[in-house]
Amino acid sequence: MKKLFLILTVMLAGCSTPVPVTVKFPDAPREMLIACPDLTTVDTSTTKLSDILETVTGNYQKYYDCRSQVDDWIIWYNTQKSIFDKIK
Amino acid sequence: MWWLSFIPDAILQQAILILIFIGVSLYPVAFFATVVPGGKRYKPFIFAAATVITILGFYFEGSYSTEMAWRQRVEEVKAKVAQAEEASKEANTKLEKARKQKQQVRVQYYSTIKERIVEKKVLIDAKCELDPAVAKIHNDAASNPAKGSVTVEDVKK
């Protein structure tokens, strides 16, 4: 009887076979994983408009870089979703 | 019945068919047992054995067909996953290329703007002197008031 239980246990162990197909979560481009930087501030003692203008221009650039990154994330998500939704 | 996977499919299929064949063949044997002298008493046993073997044979055939159908489905899905992973990598490469192009355009554009500021710096500063409060207000406006208030860890909780 004990042997029978042992045999049954061994045979039933086959039921714990893992799922044969696994889908790996897709990788995003590494550069897109970098957080957007903080905006630049100016020297508080400055009275020159050109300093402010330079900083503001730099910040606009940062904004558009970051906006582009967000747009790319949206593109990435929609593309990957459409690719992986086809697996059925 | 995982251990059945160790037996080659063709042999398994043949064994099942042989089982069905034996089961079905036993019915005429059971019938003819009545003709043979002294064989009549074996008829119920042969008939029962034929029935059990035939049922088992068809049961195994059904299980085998289901197993094969699932294996085929798994292979199909595996192929689709491989295809999707390839398409995913390709899409990433395209996206990275497009990102670099856009980045280059922005860098060039803002370099031009910064050059223009440098060119006109004297003119810009000559006509206007700012109050130190301007820099302070600018810096306050450039700071993020919500920074650190919500983290990824908070969202995960």
Side-chain angles (χ1 to χ4, degrees), chain A:
Chain A
M1 195 65 183
K2 278 179 187 175
K3 280 180 185 173
L4 185 68
F5 274 123
L6 189 68
I7 291 166
L8 275 175
T9 310
V10 172
M11 287 174 83
L12 285 172
C15 299
S16 63
T17 308
V19 180
V21 185
T22 50
V23 183
K24 189 177 158 276
F25 191 82
D27 289 321
R30 271 188 190 175
E31 303 85 52
M32 284 170 62
L33 298 170
I34 300 164
C36 290
D38 286 334
L39 295 177
T40 312
T41 53
V42 289
D43 179 6
T44 45
S45 63
T46 191
T47 55
K48 288 179 181 175
L49 182 60
S50 61
D51 287 345
I52 303 274
L53 197 55
E54 270 175 20
T55 309
V56 169
T57 304
N59 282 340
Y60 281 152
Q61 187 177 359
K62 280 183 180 179
Y63 163 75
Y64 282 111
D65 282 344
C66 190
R67 180 184 162 164
S68 175
Q69 190 164 320
V70 173
D71 290 346
D72 289 339
W73 267 113
I74 295 166
I75 293 169
W76 181 85
Y77 172 78
N78 288 332
T79 312
Q80 299 296 329
K81 192 178 183 306
S82 72
I83 289 171
F84 283 90
D85 275 352
K86 284 176 192 163
I87 306 172
K88 276 174 189 169

Side-chain angles (χ1 to χ4, degrees), chain A residues 26-27 29 75-76 79-80 83-84, chain B residues 82-98:
Chain A
D27 289 321
I75 293 169
W76 181 85
T79 312
Q80 299 296 329
I83 289 171
F84 283 90
Chain B
Q83 216 172 358
E85 281 174 351
E86 195 55 42
S88 165
K89 278 182 193 166
E90 209 173 298
N92 273 359
T93 311
K94 277 184 191 170
L95 184 62
E96 275 180 88
K97 197 179 168 188

Side-chain angles (χ1 to χ4, degrees), chain B residues 109-123:
Chain B
Y109 179 76
Y110 280 100
S111 296
T112 315
I113 301 282
K114 282 168 189 171
E115 279 168 18
R116 281 168 61 192
I117 295 170
V118 172
E119 272 174 30
K120 304 274 180 184
K121 194 168 188 167
V122 178
L123 261 172

Side-chain angles (χ1 to χ4, degrees), chain B residues 65-127:
Chain B
S65 304
T66 310
E67 173 70 17
M68 288 301 124
W70 273 111
R71 281 192 200 176
Q72 194 185 350
R73 178 87 183 105
V74 166
E75 289 308 315
E76 278 172 19
V77 174
K78 272 184 184 170
K80 277 184 185 175
V81 167
Q83 216 172 358
E85 281 174 351
E86 195 55 42
S88 165
K89 278 182 193 166
E90 209 173 298
N92 273 359
T93 311
K94 277 184 191 170
L95 184 62
E96 275 180 88
K97 197 179 168 188
R99 272 178 64 76
K100 277 177 189 163
Q101 282 174 346
K102 284 189 279 180
Q103 173 75 13
Q104 211 174 351
V105 169
R106 282 196 304 273
V107 168
Q108 281 175 352
Y109 179 76
Y110 280 100
S111 296
T112 315
I113 301 282
K114 282 168 189 171
E115 279 168 18
R116 281 168 61 192
I117 295 170
V118 172
E119 272 174 30
K120 304 274 180 184
K121 194 168 188 167
V122 178
L123 261 172
I124 293 165
D125 292 335
K127 289 183 182 174

